[in-house]
Amino acid sequence: GQQVMQIPQYQHVQEGEDFTTYCNSSTTLSNIQWYKQRPGGHPVFLIQLVKSGEVKKQKRLTFQFGEAKKNSSLHITATQTTDVGTYFCAGGSGGGSNYKLTFGKGTLLTVNP
Amino acid sequence: DTGVSQDPRHKITKRGQNVTFRCDPISEHNRLYWYRQTLGQGPEFLTYFQNEAQLEKSRLLSDRFSAERPKGSFSTLEIQRTEQGDSAMYLCASSLVWEYRGEETQYFGPGTRLLVL
């Protein structure tokens, strides 16, 4: 079945440093989504990418979808303590009633003030 | 509050007991998902409904697990004869699926944390 892998599993940075997490799928995706889960919280939707090579920005966050629609990345510029949490990618595949999201295991980001 | 709600938020039970969790999705959403999440892991898909039809079940969902969505609105997840390995956070998510676009955003509830002693 489809697998979605994320690296790194953990990342600790000093406040102000940049952070990147990478997501790779074993199959071509129809879209990729990113979620953030704060400690003790539940996953919250951040963004969806659909087009090959798509790049989207949300303030200090930059999301990319690979040309082959099998990989994606999330880059945070100048991290802040409020960025702490686990970032999950989720790959969408299939169509119609077969459409499904498969989550990666996430990257836990901790930020030292 | 128009978000996804789950009840109870926490459940402690003894091994062998049955437990039932409830999820109320966002009202106009046609899809409802159940996930299980253990510490340090991403959400693991268990099953999902499109309206009242259960369309897919994961291999993770043993015969002890059953889910229903009788009227296409709220859903229940029952675990029979609980085992210690069932201890986890059980997350519910709902979405409105635009099938012709193949796009979907899932909105998660706060989860039910289960501890089996």
mmCIF file of all heavy atoms in Angstrom, chain A residues 97-113:
data_model
loop_
_atom_site.group_PDB
_atom_site.id
_atom_site.type_symbol
_atom_site.label_atom_id
_atom_site.label_comp_id
_atom_site.label_asym_id
_atom_site.label_seq_id
_atom_site.Cartn_x
_atom_site.Cartn_y
_atom_site.Cartn_z
ATOM 1 N N SER A 97 -14.781 7.759 -4.521
ATOM 2 C CA SER A 97 -14.936 7.151 -3.211
ATOM 3 C C SER A 97 -13.666 6.447 -2.753
ATOM 4 O O SER A 97 -13.577 6.018 -1.603
ATOM 5 C CB SER A 97 -16.097 6.161 -3.229
ATOM 6 O OG SER A 97 -15.848 5.129 -4.170
ATOM 7 N N ASN A 98 -12.684 6.290 -3.640
ATOM 8 C CA ASN A 98 -11.421 5.661 -3.266
ATOM 9 C C ASN A 98 -10.407 6.657 -2.733
ATOM 10 O O ASN A 98 -9.313 6.282 -2.337
ATOM 11 C CB ASN A 98 -10.808 4.937 -4.472
ATOM 12 C CG ASN A 98 -11.650 3.768 -4.902
ATOM 13 O OD1 ASN A 98 -12.172 3.043 -4.069
ATOM 14 N ND2 ASN A 98 -11.809 3.600 -6.199
ATOM 15 N N TYR A 99 -10.746 7.939 -2.745
ATOM 16 C CA TYR A 99 -9.786 8.945 -2.313
ATOM 17 C C TYR A 99 -9.481 8.761 -0.833
ATOM 18 O O TYR A 99 -10.379 8.567 -0.020
ATOM 19 C CB TYR A 99 -10.341 10.351 -2.564
ATOM 20 C CG TYR A 99 -9.412 11.422 -2.103
ATOM 21 C CD1 TYR A 99 -8.308 11.784 -2.855
ATOM 22 C CD2 TYR A 99 -9.617 12.050 -0.884
ATOM 23 C CE1 TYR A 99 -7.439 12.763 -2.422
ATOM 24 C CE2 TYR A 99 -8.759 13.027 -0.440
ATOM 25 C CZ TYR A 99 -7.671 13.386 -1.214
ATOM 26 O OH TYR A 99 -6.818 14.340 -0.778
ATOM 27 N N LYS A 100 -8.188 8.863 -0.475
ATOM 28 C CA LYS A 100 -7.778 8.691 0.905
ATOM 29 C C LYS A 100 -6.518 9.490 1.202
ATOM 30 O O LYS A 100 -5.680 9.674 0.334
ATOM 31 C CB LYS A 100 -7.505 7.210 1.197
ATOM 32 C CG LYS A 100 -7.399 6.876 2.679
ATOM 33 C CD LYS A 100 -7.229 5.385 2.888
ATOM 34 C CE LYS A 100 -5.823 4.948 2.619
ATOM 35 N NZ LYS A 100 -5.599 3.530 2.992
ATOM 36 N N LEU A 101 -6.413 9.950 2.430
ATOM 37 C CA LEU A 101 -5.215 10.621 2.912
ATOM 38 C C LEU A 101 -4.384 9.650 3.726
ATOM 39 O O LEU A 101 -4.920 8.956 4.580
ATOM 40 C CB LEU A 101 -5.571 11.807 3.795
ATOM 41 C CG LEU A 101 -5.921 13.143 3.164
ATOM 42 C CD1 LEU A 101 -6.248 14.138 4.253
ATOM 43 C CD2 LEU A 101 -4.796 13.651 2.298
ATOM 44 N N THR A 102 -3.076 9.628 3.459
ATOM 45 C CA THR A 102 -2.157 8.816 4.254
ATOM 46 C C THR A 102 -1.172 9.746 4.940
ATOM 47 O O THR A 102 -0.480 10.519 4.268
ATOM 48 C CB THR A 102 -1.400 7.815 3.363
ATOM 49 O OG1 THR A 102 -2.341 6.994 2.683
ATOM 50 C CG2 THR A 102 -0.497 6.934 4.225
ATOM 51 N N PHE A 103 -1.117 9.668 6.258
ATOM 52 C CA PHE A 103 -0.269 10.559 7.035
ATOM 53 C C PHE A 103 1.134 10.000 7.187
ATOM 54 O O PHE A 103 1.331 8.786 7.338
ATOM 55 C CB PHE A 103 -0.859 10.775 8.436
ATOM 56 C CG PHE A 103 -1.997 11.752 8.464
ATOM 57 C CD1 PHE A 103 -3.270 11.364 8.084
ATOM 58 C CD2 PHE A 103 -1.793 13.063 8.864
ATOM 59 C CE1 PHE A 103 -4.330 12.265 8.103
ATOM 60 C CE2 PHE A 103 -2.842 13.968 8.891
ATOM 61 C CZ PHE A 103 -4.105 13.567 8.504
ATOM 62 N N GLY A 104 2.121 10.915 7.185
ATOM 63 C CA GLY A 104 3.463 10.552 7.605
ATOM 64 C C GLY A 104 3.527 10.513 9.120
ATOM 65 O O GLY A 104 2.555 10.849 9.807
ATOM 66 N N LYS A 105 4.681 10.114 9.652
ATOM 67 C CA LYS A 105 4.822 9.991 11.102
ATOM 68 C C LYS A 105 5.131 11.313 11.772
ATOM 69 O O LYS A 105 5.146 11.401 12.993
ATOM 70 C CB LYS A 105 5.890 8.957 11.446
ATOM 71 C CG LYS A 105 5.475 7.546 11.063
ATOM 72 C CD LYS A 105 6.419 6.511 11.630
ATOM 73 C CE LYS A 105 5.876 5.115 11.333
ATOM 74 N NZ LYS A 105 6.714 4.050 11.926
ATOM 75 N N GLY A 106 5.422 12.337 10.973
ATOM 76 C CA GLY A 106 5.585 13.660 11.537
ATOM 77 C C GLY A 106 7.019 14.006 11.908
ATOM 78 O O GLY A 106 7.870 13.138 12.088
ATOM 79 N N THR A 107 7.273 15.300 11.998
ATOM 80 C CA THR A 107 8.549 15.821 12.495
ATOM 81 C C THR A 107 8.254 16.686 13.703
ATOM 82 O O THR A 107 7.476 17.647 13.603
ATOM 83 C CB THR A 107 9.259 16.679 11.435
ATOM 84 O OG1 THR A 107 9.592 15.865 10.308
ATOM 85 C CG2 THR A 107 10.528 17.302 12.009
ATOM 86 N N LEU A 108 8.846 16.324 14.834
ATOM 87 C CA LEU A 108 8.672 17.097 16.057
ATOM 88 C C LEU A 108 9.694 18.211 16.087
ATOM 89 O O LEU A 108 10.905 17.960 16.074
ATOM 90 C CB LEU A 108 8.825 16.196 17.280
ATOM 91 C CG LEU A 108 8.849 16.896 18.638
ATOM 92 C CD1 LEU A 108 7.546 17.656 18.882
ATOM 93 C CD2 LEU A 108 9.090 15.884 19.759
ATOM 94 N N LEU A 109 9.216 19.440 16.124
ATOM 95 C CA LEU A 109 10.084 20.611 16.182
ATOM 96 C C LEU A 109 10.070 21.198 17.585
ATOM 97 O O LEU A 109 8.991 21.486 18.129
ATOM 98 C CB LEU A 109 9.622 21.671 15.189
ATOM 99 C CG LEU A 109 10.318 23.036 15.281
ATOM 100 C CD1 LEU A 109 11.797 22.920 14.934
ATOM 101 C CD2 LEU A 109 9.631 24.068 14.389
ATOM 102 N N THR A 110 11.247 21.340 18.157
ATOM 103 C CA THR A 110 11.374 22.069 19.419
ATOM 104 C C THR A 110 12.277 23.274 19.178
ATOM 105 O O THR A 110 13.216 23.208 18.386
ATOM 106 C CB THR A 110 11.945 21.185 20.537
ATOM 107 O OG1 THR A 110 13.192 20.630 20.105
ATOM 108 C CG2 THR A 110 10.991 20.065 20.878
ATOM 109 N N VAL A 111 11.960 24.367 19.843
ATOM 110 C CA VAL A 111 12.671 25.624 19.639
ATOM 111 C C VAL A 111 13.202 26.120 20.970
ATOM 112 O O VAL A 111 12.421 26.326 21.927
ATOM 113 C CB VAL A 111 11.751 26.681 19.004
ATOM 114 C CG1 VAL A 111 12.514 27.993 18.803
ATOM 115 C CG2 VAL A 111 11.171 26.179 17.685
ATOM 116 N N ASN A 112 14.486 26.342 21.036
ATOM 117 C CA ASN A 112 15.120 26.851 22.250
ATOM 118 C C ASN A 112 15.114 28.380 22.218
ATOM 119 O O ASN A 112 15.659 28.972 21.287
ATOM 120 C CB ASN A 112 16.554 26.329 22.339
ATOM 121 C CG ASN A 112 17.085 26.407 23.737
ATOM 122 O OD1 ASN A 112 16.332 26.310 24.702
ATOM 123 N ND2 ASN A 112 18.381 26.595 23.863
ATOM 124 N N PRO A 113 14.493 29.019 23.221
ATOM 125 C CA PRO A 113 14.403 30.487 23.183
ATOM 126 C C PRO A 113 15.754 31.172 23.427
ATOM 127 O O PRO A 113 16.678 30.583 23.939
ATOM 128 C CB PRO A 113 13.412 30.811 24.317
ATOM 129 C CG PRO A 113 13.476 29.649 25.225
ATOM 130 C CD PRO A 113 13.792 28.440 24.383
#
